[in-house]
Protein backbone atom coordinates (compact mmCIF):
# COMPACT_ATOMS: atom_id res chain seq x y z
CA UNK A 1 0.00 0.00 0.00
CA UNK A 2 1.31 3.46 -0.92
CA UNK A 3 0.84 6.06 1.79
CA UNK A 4 -0.46 9.46 0.83
CA UNK A 5 2.09 12.22 1.07
CA UNK A 6 1.18 15.82 1.77
CA UNK A 7 2.18 18.37 -0.87
CA UNK A 8 4.51 20.14 1.56
CA UNK A 9 6.25 16.88 2.42
CA UNK A 10 6.68 16.24 -1.31
CA UNK A 11 8.28 19.68 -1.70
CA UNK A 12 10.62 18.92 1.18
CA UNK A 13 11.63 15.63 -0.41
CA UNK A 14 12.25 17.31 -3.76
CA UNK A 15 14.34 19.96 -2.01
CA UNK A 16 16.35 17.29 -0.24
CA UNK A 17 17.02 15.50 -3.52
CA UNK A 18 18.21 18.77 -5.13
CA UNK A 19 20.62 19.40 -2.24
CA UNK A 20 21.97 15.84 -2.23
CA UNK A 21 22.41 15.75 -6.02
CA UNK A 22 24.29 19.08 -5.94
CA UNK A 23 26.52 17.80 -3.15
CA UNK A 24 27.16 14.52 -4.99
CA UNK A 25 28.06 16.37 -8.19
CA UNK A 26 30.40 18.62 -6.23
CA UNK A 27 32.18 15.62 -4.70
CA UNK A 28 32.65 14.20 -8.21
CA UNK A 29 34.09 17.54 -9.43
CA UNK A 30 31.19 17.89 -11.85
CA UNK A 31 29.67 20.96 -10.16
CA UNK A 32 32.22 23.30 -8.57
CA UNK A 33 31.13 24.18 -5.04
CA UNK A 34 32.51 27.70 -5.36
CA UNK A 35 30.29 28.60 -8.33
CA UNK A 36 26.81 30.05 -8.59
CA UNK A 37 24.99 26.92 -9.91
CA UNK A 38 25.97 24.84 -6.87
CA UNK A 39 24.89 27.54 -4.44
CA UNK A 40 21.71 28.26 -6.40
CA UNK A 41 20.82 24.58 -6.17
CA UNK A 42 21.34 24.73 -2.41
CA UNK A 43 19.14 27.80 -2.16
CA UNK A 44 16.39 26.23 -4.28
CA UNK A 45 16.53 22.94 -2.42
CA UNK A 46 16.69 24.67 0.94
CA UNK A 47 13.72 26.87 0.08
CA UNK A 48 11.65 23.77 -0.69
CA UNK A 49 12.73 22.15 2.55
CA UNK A 50 11.88 25.36 4.44
CA UNK A 51 8.37 25.35 2.95
CA UNK A 52 7.87 21.85 4.31
CA UNK A 53 9.22 22.99 7.69
CA UNK A 54 6.54 25.67 7.90
CA UNK A 55 3.97 22.85 8.00
CA UNK A 56 6.04 20.38 10.03
CA UNK A 57 8.37 22.50 12.18
CA UNK A 58 11.66 21.07 13.40
CA UNK A 59 13.88 23.65 15.07
CA UNK A 60 17.16 21.86 14.30
CA UNK A 61 16.29 21.52 10.62
CA UNK A 62 15.18 25.15 10.43
CA UNK A 63 18.45 26.37 11.96
CA UNK A 64 20.62 24.31 9.61
CA UNK A 65 18.62 25.36 6.54
CA UNK A 66 18.89 29.05 7.49
CA UNK A 67 22.65 28.68 7.99
CA UNK A 68 23.06 26.92 4.62
CA UNK A 69 20.96 29.63 2.98
CA UNK A 70 23.17 32.37 4.43
CA UNK A 71 26.35 30.55 3.37
CA UNK A 72 25.02 30.06 -0.19
CA UNK A 73 23.94 33.70 -0.47
CA UNK A 74 27.35 34.87 0.74
CA UNK A 75 29.08 32.58 -1.76
CA UNK A 76 26.97 33.91 -4.63
CA UNK A 77 27.57 37.50 -3.53
CA UNK A 78 31.35 36.91 -3.44
CA UNK A 79 31.23 35.20 -6.82
CA UNK A 80 29.36 38.10 -8.39
CA UNK A 81 31.74 40.63 -6.81
CA UNK A 82 34.74 38.75 -8.18
CA UNK A 83 33.25 38.98 -11.68
CA UNK A 84 32.80 42.75 -11.47
Amino acid sequence: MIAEIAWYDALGLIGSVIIVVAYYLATRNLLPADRIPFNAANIAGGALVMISLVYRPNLGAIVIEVMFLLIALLAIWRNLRARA
Side-chain angles (χ1 to χ4, degrees), residues 38-82:
F38 173 81
N39 290 292
N42 278 312
I43 290 170
L48 294 175
V49 171
M50 287 296 284
I51 291 169
S52 73
L53 289 170
V54 167
Y55 294 92
R56 290 194 197 273
N58 176 316
L59 184 58
I62 291 169
V63 169
I64 198 74
E65 289 301 328
V66 169
M67 298 307 289
F68 283 147
L69 173 67
L70 294 174
I71 290 167
L73 288 172
L74 179 61
I76 288 174
W77 180 70
R78 286 184 176 179
N79 198 289
L80 292 174
R81 277 192 52 198

Side-chain angles (χ1 to χ4, degrees), residues 4-56:
E4 281 191 39
I5 183 167
W7 66 268
Y8 48 85
D9 288 328
L11 288 182
L13 288 172
I14 292 166
S16 296
V17 168
I18 292 169
I19 292 168
V20 169
V21 168
Y23 181 73
Y24 173 76
L25 293 174
T27 64
R28 304 292 298 163
N29 294 318
L30 299 172
L31 184 63
D34 63 343
R35 299 285 188 221
I36 290 175
F38 173 81
N39 290 292
N42 278 312
I43 290 170
L48 294 175
V49 171
M50 287 296 284
I51 291 169
S52 73
L53 289 170
V54 167
Y55 294 92
R56 290 194 197 273

